[in-house]
Amino acid sequence: MVSKHNVVAVEPWLNGSAADLETNAVHAAAPIMDMQTVPLSRLHLTQKHAYLSTANVSSKNAEIEVDNKSALLAVEAAVAIVINGIHYAILMASPYQLEYLAIGFLYSEGLIHHSHELLDWEVTQLTNIASYRRFTSNLTDDLLDEKTAFEQFSAQLQDYDVYVVELVLNQRCHQRIQAQKRQLAGRTGCGMCGITGLSQALPDLSHYLSSGLQQKQSESSVPSLNYLLHMHQQIGAAQHTHQLTGAVHAAATMQDKDLYLFEDVGRHNALDKLIGWQLRNKTELTCVVMTSRLSIELVQKSIRSHIPWLVGMSAPTSTAVRVAERYGLGLAGFLRDDRVTYYTNYEDA
């Protein structure tokens, strides 16, 4: 038996737009683009099927309830990174704080070492085929196969949110870009997509040890359980886009008792945004908490950024722990309401 309920309404607690909530979520600096013009989530019609009771689920007569209702879903935008007129990569990301995302991404790629190497930037949303034409005409490498008609691509463009982050770097950085250009578009779930060689995917990070990570690690105490539980509680309260959609990760840190949180559909993008914010504000980090599992690319980014402690709400991978041990990165996971598990550097905890 099936009972139907037509509900086309957002839950009562979803007052205001996702943009309004996001604006009040964290202490991070204001993004380049006006939040009112950047949708982080959209309303979609859905149909939910659920058993009214779990007691007799296997029974043929178990009653199923069908609800037609609306749901907010996270926007996943294509973000083209263009450096000195060269198309470098496309990231699938949440279209917010894209300046920080670009800076953090370039730093994690080893293309910039300091924020002052970035001379200028501009963020543009491609809203129609005319803006796409202008974008491709200015590129050294055209993204569009010449056999593909603009009219055909225009129909596809309607399904996507497309942003272009154009960066101007100094000449030394330009030489690095030409030597290390990615060949493929990146995806939301993988921070290594598009890397073409093992040396890029599995880099030697030993020079980061001599430049201060181990010294910072020795000077940084192990984050206590109480400290991490306090961060866990604040992150849960501040992650508004995740509350709306259930589909974004966050990277967060504490500065002078204030929480700075960066959300994105990709966990590696969230960390890149935090790293970009760190570089722009010349801030020292002691501990970063991720709402995700801890994979190898997050560990590599943390080592490059001299982050002493990386903590996840899920587990790390074995490779992540081994690399963290080699380079002295403090690693912890399974941060929950009442516990945390340390995997490295816990002797003094």
Side-chain angles (χ1 to χ4, degrees):
M1 178 181 292
V2 177
S3 61
K4 295 186 177 181
H5 299 277
N6 293 306
V7 181
V8 185
V10 185
E11 313 299 344
W13 57 272
L14 300 181
N15 293 323
S17 66
D20 296 333
L21 291 171
E22 186 74 15
T23 303
N24 298 321
V26 295
H27 293 275
I32 296 173
M33 302 187 71
D34 183 358
M35 282 299 302
Q36 299 302 322
T37 65
V38 180
L40 300 182
S41 61
R42 287 198 183 91
L43 214 56
H44 290 258
L45 294 178
T46 68
Q47 188 176 85
K48 178 181 177 181
H49 293 220
Y51 285 106
L52 292 178
S53 172
T54 59
N56 299 310
V57 170
S58 59
S59 172
K60 294 182 179 180
N61 296 322
E63 187 174 3
I64 298 175
E65 181 183 55
V66 177
D67 281 352
N68 293 308
K69 59 193 303 184
S70 58
L72 281 168
L73 303 181
V75 170
E76 185 179 17
V79 181
I81 306 295
V82 179
I83 309 170
N84 293 0
I86 298 174
H87 174 257
Y88 184 76
I90 293 180
L91 308 178
M92 299 306 297
S94 298
Y96 178 49
Q97 299 168 323
L98 296 182
E99 174 202 356
Y100 295 148
L101 173 63
I103 295 172
F105 174 74
L106 295 185
Y107 185 85
S108 298
E109 292 275 290
L111 296 178
I112 63 173
H113 298 152
H114 307 280
S115 62
H116 66 255
E117 293 175 316
L118 174 63
L119 304 180
D120 197 9
W121 69 88
E122 183 178 2
V123 180
T124 305
Q125 182 178 10
L126 305 187
T127 56
N128 52 46
I129 202 64
S131 60
Y132 188 86
R133 281 182 183 273
R134 288 194 299 271
F135 166 58
T136 55
S137 65
N138 292 331
L139 290 182
T140 303
D141 298 322
D142 199 338
L143 297 180
L144 194 65
D145 188 284
E146 60 185 5
K147 295 182 180 179
T148 303
F150 273 108
E151 292 73 15
Q152 178 183 347
F153 187 78
S154 178
Q156 300 175 22
L157 198 62
Q158 296 176 10
D159 297 327
Y160 293 91
D161 296 86
V162 182
Y163 295 81
V164 179
V165 183
E166 296 179 89
L167 306 166
V168 179
L169 304 184
N170 63 24
Q171 185 59 35
R172 179 175 297 180
C173 295
H174 185 76
Q175 294 170 353
R176 298 188 200 123
I177 296 160
Q178 292 179 316
Q180 187 177 315
K181 183 186 173 186
R182 286 199 179 198
Q183 300 300 315
L184 301 174
R187 297 179 178 87
T188 303
C190 174
M192 292 186 177
C193 295
I195 289 178
T196 57
L198 281 176
S199 61
Q200 285 181 267
L202 311 174
D204 178 13
L205 303 174
S206 57
H207 62 285
Y208 288 95
L209 298 181
S210 59
S211 61
L213 177 60
Q214 284 187 328
Q215 180 180 355
K216 286 184 67 176
Q217 179 61 60
S218 63
E219 295 173 352
S220 176
S221 60
V222 178
S224 68
L225 175 61
N226 286 339
Y227 175 82
L228 293 175
L229 293 182
H230 176 65
M231 282 195 68
H232 182 273
Q233 184 179 30
Q234 289 207 41
I235 291 170
Q239 234 195 317
H240 293 301
T241 305
H242 183 73
Q243 293 170 9
L244 291 170
T245 66
V248 297
H249 296 289
T253 190
M254 296 287 292
Q255 294 287 318
D256 299 325
K257 298 183 180 181
D258 289 330
L259 180 74
Y260 290 81
L261 181 143
F262 301 84
E263 292 188 285
D264 199 279
V265 289
R267 61 184 183 274
H268 53 93
N269 293 335
L271 183 55
D272 277 340
K273 287 179 178 180
L274 190 152
I275 292 170
W277 168 82
Q278 172 198 10
L279 290 172
R280 293 293 290 171
N281 292 276
K282 299 179 174 61
T283 302
E284 292 290 331
L285 302 178
T286 57
C287 178
V288 170
V289 173
M290 302 291 304
T291 59
S292 64
R293 65 184 175 90
L294 300 179
S295 49
I296 180 61
E297 82 274 12
L298 298 182
V299 166
Q300 292 172 346
K301 290 175 186 290
S302 299
I303 293 170
R304 287 187 171 111
S305 301
H306 307 296
I307 297 171
W309 275 92
L310 180 66
V311 180
M313 293 188 184
S314 295
T317 65
S318 172
T319 305
V321 172
R322 293 175 69 179
V323 173
E325 287 177 334
R326 175 180 292 274
Y327 295 107
L329 173 68
L331 208 64
F334 285 116
L335 176 60
R336 304 295 167 85
D337 293 334
D338 58 354
R339 66 188 186 275
V340 71
T341 301
Y342 298 98
Y343 294 93
T344 67
N345 300 353
Y346 51 78
E347 291 80 3
D348 299 327

